[in-house]
Amino acid sequence: YSSLVSVFEVGEMMSDFKWRHYQGSIILGCVRWYCKYGISYRELEEMMLERGLEVDHTTIYRWIQHYAPEMEKRMRWYYKPQMGYSWQVDETYVKVRGKWTYLYRAIDKYGNTIDFYLSSTRSKKAAKRFLTKALKSIKPWAHPETINTDKAPTFGPAIDELKEEGKCQKNTVHRQVKYLNNAIEADHGKLKRLINPVRGFKSMKTAYATIKGFELMHMFRKGQMDVWKNGQGLIGEIRLIERQFNIYSA
């Protein structure tokens, strides 16, 4: 990793890394590691020190808050599925300031992440807001044929309202069969392995910013972006992310 310090970067955008004391590749590398491996800020500080880089854990925290959501935003085009098929929609719990909040998530039948949304409440309004976000992010012709949820009473009315408003296809079938959601519940568990070491977030804003990075790297781990890595494995992952910030490593 130390070789990244001396790598020649062409066209790195000043607006992305202006006033930072480290090269963009170093910063993005730290963000990738934190969001991918479920480690703490202090552990990542020690890892960087072993590689001859003194980076305070509070600095790494600021990098995560700034660059993790930006990475997810710039990579959105790559991970959005081209076809809707059937969706599995569910929510899992995330602790923020000592209280449980709700992370709404949707995957397709192949396990690909469709979208996610963090809410302080579990209600029809929150379910509708999440589904609106997910449906709006893809083309109408790619909307799902079926949406499977658990028995929660919030999703049914939300889907009905979206149909009435023309935001969801009229012929979309809403199923409430718990065992059909086994895949997304298993996917929750894998994501929570990254979230749990945080031991609680301080605010909804910081929680959502960090979770965007976790979700993105979880998609990489699931192979959702393999087609864009040109068969280069981990190097392809690094280069794909760096290209979004106009970094072109030698």
Side-chain angles (χ1 to χ4, degrees), residues 80-210:
K80 284 298 180 180
Q82 298 301 310
M83 293 297 294
Y85 302 108
S86 61
W87 287 8
Q88 295 182 28
V89 178
D90 193 22
E91 70 279 328
T92 187
Y93 300 94
V94 177
K95 187 164 285 189
V96 178
R97 297 189 68 181
K99 297 182 179 180
W100 291 113
T101 60
Y102 305 91
L103 178 61
Y104 287 83
R105 306 181 67 242
I107 64 173
D108 67 15
K109 68 177 183 179
Y110 298 109
N112 295 320
T113 300
I114 304 292
D115 218 325
F116 53 91
Y117 173 72
L118 185 65
S119 172
S120 58
T121 60
R122 187 188 191 193
S123 62
K124 182 191 76 172
K125 183 178 180 180
K128 183 180 178 181
R129 187 178 293 121
F130 165 61
L131 290 170
T132 299
K133 177 176 181 283
L135 291 166
K136 187 178 179 181
S137 69
I138 61 176
K139 301 295 184 182
W141 54 264
H143 282 185
E145 297 174 358
T146 61
I147 298 177
N148 194 81
T149 69
D150 58 15
K151 297 290 186 178
T154 57
F155 288 113
I159 293 172
D160 290 341
E161 288 187 11
L162 289 172
K163 287 182 178 181
E164 291 175 5
E165 296 169 6
K167 297 177 181 177
C168 180
Q169 302 291 341
K170 290 285 187 180
N171 59 351
T172 298
V173 178
H174 176 213
R175 295 175 179 167
Q176 291 182 288
V177 183
K178 185 173 177 59
Y179 79 88
L180 291 178
N181 261 19
N182 289 345
I184 193 168
E185 290 176 1
D187 201 63
H188 287 335
K190 294 174 182 177
L191 180 69
K192 292 294 283 289
R193 290 179 194 144
L194 301 176
I195 297 175
N196 287 338
V198 177
R199 300 185 183 279
F201 297 96
K202 302 301 182 183
S203 70
M204 289 291 288
K205 181 179 179 181
T206 59
Y208 202 16
T210 309

Side-chain angles (χ1 to χ4, degrees), residues 20 27 30-32 34-35 41 57-72 118 198 200-214 245:
R20 305 292 182 182
I27 294 172
C30 285
V31 176
R32 280 184 54 259
Y34 180 80
C35 294
Y41 291 116
H57 64 277
T58 58
T59 298
I60 296 175
Y61 165 80
R62 288 193 292 269
W63 289 350
I64 302 299
Q65 291 302 301
H66 181 81
Y67 292 104
E70 191 62 29
M71 280 171 51
E72 187 273 332
L118 185 65
V198 177
F201 297 96
K202 302 301 182 183
S203 70
M204 289 291 288
K205 181 179 179 181
T206 59
Y208 202 16
T210 309
I211 287 170
K212 287 179 179 179
F214 287 154
F245 293 83

